[in-house]
Amino acid sequence: MQLWFDTAEVFIGGRWFLPASGETLPLENPSTGEDIGRIARGTAADIDNAVTAAQEALEGEWGAMTAAERGRVLMRLSWLISKKVDELAEIEATDVGKPLTQARNDAIALARYMEFYGGAADKVMGETIPYLDGYTVYTLREPHGVTGHIVPWNYPMQIIGRSVGAALAMGNACVLKPAEEACLSALAFADLARQAGLPDGALNVVPGLGEEAGAALTAHPGVNHISFTGSVCVGREVQKAAADNIVPVTLELGGKSPQVVFEDADLEKALPFLVNAGIQNAGQTCSASSRILVHESLYDELCIHMAAAYDALRVGPAMDDLNVGPLISARQKEIVLGFLTQTDNNHILSRGEIMEDAPAGGHYVAPTLISGIRPDHPLAQDEIFGPVQVIIPFRDEDHAVEIANSTNFGLVASVWSRDGARQMRMARKLRAGQVFINNYGAGGGVELPFGGVGHSGHGREKGFEALYGFSVLKTVAAHHG
Ligand code: NAD
């Protein structure tokens, strides 16, 4: 793996530094379990420096740029990323353990986010509002100021793209805290942003532990907005910390997303979506479809098809680019296997195969398809964050909605049916931030607002909606008689 930056440094004010603690943290390749380097152990002192650098950027060159100029910087960054797609893919595959093709797709998505938000930067407009005689009233969209971005390890490039891209487009200055398990692509992104001409301090990256650097960022009084993507329990802490400073928070949390397959579904078309949405990135996807709800008349047939698809799944090192890579860590593997002990073997319909030559130190779990459990079973209610899907039969539309909406989450759902009226009814009744009809995930959907309800979080990222989230609306009322 060729790196063009020092992994053990923080990026603050456009320059690379050793962290204030002088300490580093180990970095592991999940495919092998081997140490692949050290990353900075950023702490509150680095966060403080990063927030100061961001504030200075807002008062300096970055804050003085027009929206069109900001857009051009993001476009240049998009171009630089697109030239480095292969290197970024290799970095992400090595760091996260995701199969190379999936990592490459994430790098392409990062370039696309910069392109989308670069193009959108000068297209966010206010409104004029008809008001009393003698008044002209209009609205302005202004940046929050310093935005904090806390990112998990599962899709670093995609999540940085959607969150930092939108925040920069709106003129905020960002402090990014990537996950301690996988932060190399965040550092690569910072260096490419510097090369693209992003003014010093507009983006600062401080790797470190969640309870140190992450907690310091969420509690910092100089931060004006926090975007957090991660688990429900940490999200709750982040929201509490932000409440002390009365700053807005976007929470992108977990999911237990259902795909609902009706008796008139096109099964052949649905099958790859049903399976891939569960096993992509080894199931470590917030919008993973971990529940397949199927009409009872199709249940046996779908079980046969999905079991065959699972039989064909191959698991191995990220660089071998098979269907499924390792989980991120030994701890994550333990959590997933712990879930699987909550059912007995006769509920396991099928399993993928871990390749014999997969390194013993890698964190591999065979994709597992489960049937015959009740909808209120923990495996059908809790986010497992591993390659595990459950198939559950339903009687009719109302029963499908009841099961689909029975978890605490509400991130994504899909409906497979040829009946247009049913599609529309289901889209309204399903409790989710995104509903897909006869597809799932829509190829990533940079342009499509994304976010959850319930324990899946609140606020929206992606698309134009994110630009509204990363800005503050100001109303100007002029009385001119
Ligand atoms: P996590 O909550 O443990 O960590 C996420 C980030 O928060 C990391 O950068 C971590 O260092 C930081 N963090 C940890 N403790 C902190 C604290 N006390 N204060 C501030 N920051 C802290 O989550 P994870 O295990 O890394 O990621 C998996 C979770 O993320 C899953 O629940 C998944 O569904 C969710 N996720 C959601 C989305 C989405 O868009 N909705 C996308 C990806 C992942």
Side-chain angles (χ1 to χ4, degrees):
M1 184 171 56
Q2 288 291 320
L3 297 178
W4 61 94
F5 50 91
D6 187 340
T7 63
E9 292 183 333
V10 297
F11 181 74
I12 296 176
R15 290 173 53 207
W16 294 95
F17 294 96
L18 289 172
S21 68
E23 289 181 35
T24 57
L25 298 165
L27 200 59
E28 186 196 42
N29 177 348
S31 295
T32 61
E34 288 165 2
D35 239 0
I36 50 169
R38 311 289 300 180
I39 59 159
R41 182 173 181 165
T43 54
D46 303 292
I47 292 292
D48 202 36
N49 291 338
V51 172
T52 302
Q55 286 166 335
E56 286 169 5
L58 291 167
E59 282 155 23
E61 187 187 351
W62 178 239
M65 277 188 168
T66 64
E69 287 167 339
R70 293 197 303 269
R72 271 181 225 126
V73 174
L74 293 180
M75 288 289 201
R76 273 199 300 279
L77 178 52
S78 171
W79 186 81
L80 285 176
I81 293 166
S82 67
K83 297 283 149 212
K84 286 260 184 207
V85 159
D86 291 327
E87 286 103 315
L88 290 168
E90 200 184 324
I91 289 172
E92 199 80 318
T94 309
D95 204 9
V96 178
K98 67 175 65 184
L100 199 55
T101 302
Q102 295 178 33
R104 197 166 192 282
N105 289 340
D106 287 0
I108 292 168
L110 179 62
R112 172 71 186 122
Y113 274 114
M114 295 309 123
E115 180 187 51
F116 179 84
Y117 284 118
D122 62 350
K123 293 163 192 71
V124 180
M125 296 170 201
E127 296 176 314
T128 54
I129 300 174
Y131 194 53
L132 302 175
D133 193 27
Y135 282 83
T136 296
V137 181
Y138 59 96
T139 59
L140 298 170
R141 286 249 164 225
E142 297 181 339
H144 288 285
V146 178
T147 51
H149 304 258
I150 299 181
V151 167
W153 43 262
N154 59 344
Y155 285 83
M157 286 197 278
Q158 296 239 17
I159 295 168
I160 290 168
R162 73 188 192 200
S163 143
V164 172
L168 289 175
M170 286 313 300
N172 299 282
C174 306
V175 179
L176 167 63
K177 209 301 278 174
E180 49 271 47
E181 295 88 348
C183 66
L184 296 185
S185 57
L187 299 173
F189 174 74
D191 200 64
L192 292 174
R194 183 188 59 74
Q195 291 177 36
L198 188 71
D200 294 350
L203 170 67
N204 307 277
V205 182
V206 181
L209 297 173
E211 58 273 26
E212 293 180 356
L217 181 58
T218 52
H220 199 292
V223 174
N224 308 110
H225 178 281
I226 293 167
S227 162
F228 172 81
T229 307
S231 60
V232 176
C233 60
V234 176
R236 193 174 280 124
E237 293 310 310
V238 167
Q239 184 155 343
K240 284 182 194 162
D244 282 343
N245 292 325
I246 320 281
V247 296
V249 185
T250 301
L251 292 181
E252 297 279 9
L253 309 177
K256 193 72 184 174
S257 300
Q259 298 200 61
V260 186
V261 186
F262 284 94
E263 59 275 24
D264 62 342
D266 179 343
L267 256 199
E268 203 181 311
K269 179 180 171 193
L271 196 63
F273 288 89
L274 299 178
V275 176
N276 288 341
I279 55 105
Q280 184 178 310
N281 198 28
Q284 303 166 116
T285 305
C286 54
S287 54
S289 175
S290 45
R291 294 186 296 155
I292 306 298
L293 313 187
V294 56
H295 188 260
E296 56 194 10
S297 66
L298 263 191
Y299 181 73
D300 291 341
E301 188 183 346
L302 187 65
C303 283
I304 290 169
H305 286 304
M306 283 197 64
Y310 263 69
D311 282 345
L313 293 175
R314 298 289 170 264
V315 184
M319 299 310 281
D320 287 1
D321 206 17
L322 304 175
N323 311 100
V324 178
L327 299 189
I328 185 74
S329 61
R331 183 174 156 265
Q332 191 66 21
K333 177 175 172 180
E334 207 177 296
I335 291 171
V336 173
L337 294 181
F339 269 107
L340 291 174
T341 61
Q342 297 185 39
T343 185
D344 47 57
N345 274 343
N346 57 10
H347 288 141
I348 294 180
L349 204 53
S350 179
R351 274 199 166 118
E353 183 190 347
I354 300 173
M355 303 315 287
E356 257 178 32
D357 57 357
H363 312 303
Y364 301 99
V365 170
T368 306
L369 184 62
I370 291 177
S371 67
I373 59 168
R374 291 169 48 91
D376 58 359
H377 190 283
L379 287 172
Q381 288 286 316
D382 299 341
E383 186 184 47
I384 298 172
F385 229 52
V388 181
Q389 282 181 299
V390 299
I391 309 187
I392 298 171
F394 63 82
R395 289 186 303 276
D396 54 25
E397 214 173 286
D398 285 346
H399 192 211
V401 171
E402 183 191 320
I403 301 173
N405 292 349
S406 69
T407 75
N408 289 329
F409 298 104
L411 194 55
V412 176
S414 86
V415 182
W416 293 90
S417 168
R418 290 183 167 95
D419 179 339
R422 169 182 279 156
Q423 295 165 0
M424 296 301 113
R425 281 194 301 275
M426 290 296 290
R428 284 180 182 270
K429 287 181 186 167
L430 288 169
R431 190 167 171 264
Q434 282 189 332
V435 176
F436 296 101
I437 296 169
N438 292 330
N439 75 98
Y440 192 90
V446 166
E447 306 83 349
L448 313 182
F450 176 79
V453 297
H455 285 196
S456 292
H458 51 72
R460 293 292 176 265
E461 292 193 339
K462 299 192 177 188
F464 252 72
E465 202 59 34
L467 297 168
Y468 304 138
F470 281 111
S471 60
V472 182
L473 194 70
K474 178 185 278 177
T475 304
V476 181
H479 183 231
H480 39 69

